[in-house]
Amino acid sequence: VRASEEKYRTLFANMGEEVHYWRLIRDESGQVVTWLLEDANPPALRIWGKRLEEVRNKTPDEIFGQGATEHYRPYVEKALKTHSPLVFEDYF
């Protein structure tokens, strides 16, 4: 397990692409209300101009500004529907 975790961490930290891991927050009916950032790799943090300690356990609105959750909702819904990672471009 330790070796597997080390491989994951090395890959995650050294990828050239932005990668982030979010925890979904659902309402009583199971609908996704928002999501909280659990981890982001160095390229993501560099692009965002943030440190992980600043953004961990924050919602998109808290990280990127009001309206970010609704802006990114279609991407989250697509990822949940297809059960696969998403690749997309967005401009800050």
Side-chain angles (χ1 to χ4, degrees):
V1 173
R2 189 172 291 131
S4 178
E5 172 68 18
E6 186 176 325
K7 285 180 187 178
Y8 160 78
R9 273 283 144 211
T10 300
L11 178 63
F12 187 75
N14 292 297
M15 290 183 71
E17 300 286 330
E18 237 185 88
V19 179
H20 7 100
Y21 182 76
W22 301 82
R23 180 171 26 103
L24 298 176
I25 306 299
R26 298 175 185 266
D27 65 15
E28 306 79 38
S29 68
Q31 293 294 332
V32 174
V33 177
T34 193
W35 43 97
L36 301 175
L37 183 73
E38 292 204 346
D39 204 356
N41 71 344
L45 297 167
R46 191 171 36 259
I47 289 167
W48 300 348
K50 309 277 185 186
R51 291 177 299 114
L52 186 58
E53 299 78 32
E54 294 176 76
V55 293
R56 183 176 274 144
N57 294 315
K58 304 278 181 167
T59 67
D61 285 355
E62 293 171 315
I63 297 169
F64 305 116
Q66 195 65 29
T69 300
E70 288 311 309
H71 175 78
Y72 291 108
R73 185 176 302 284
Y75 300 110
V76 170
E77 289 172 351
K78 183 176 181 181
L80 292 171
K81 185 177 182 178
T82 62
H83 300 283
S84 61
L86 279 181
V87 176
F88 63 92
E89 288 187 24
D90 202 2
Y91 299 91
F92 289 83

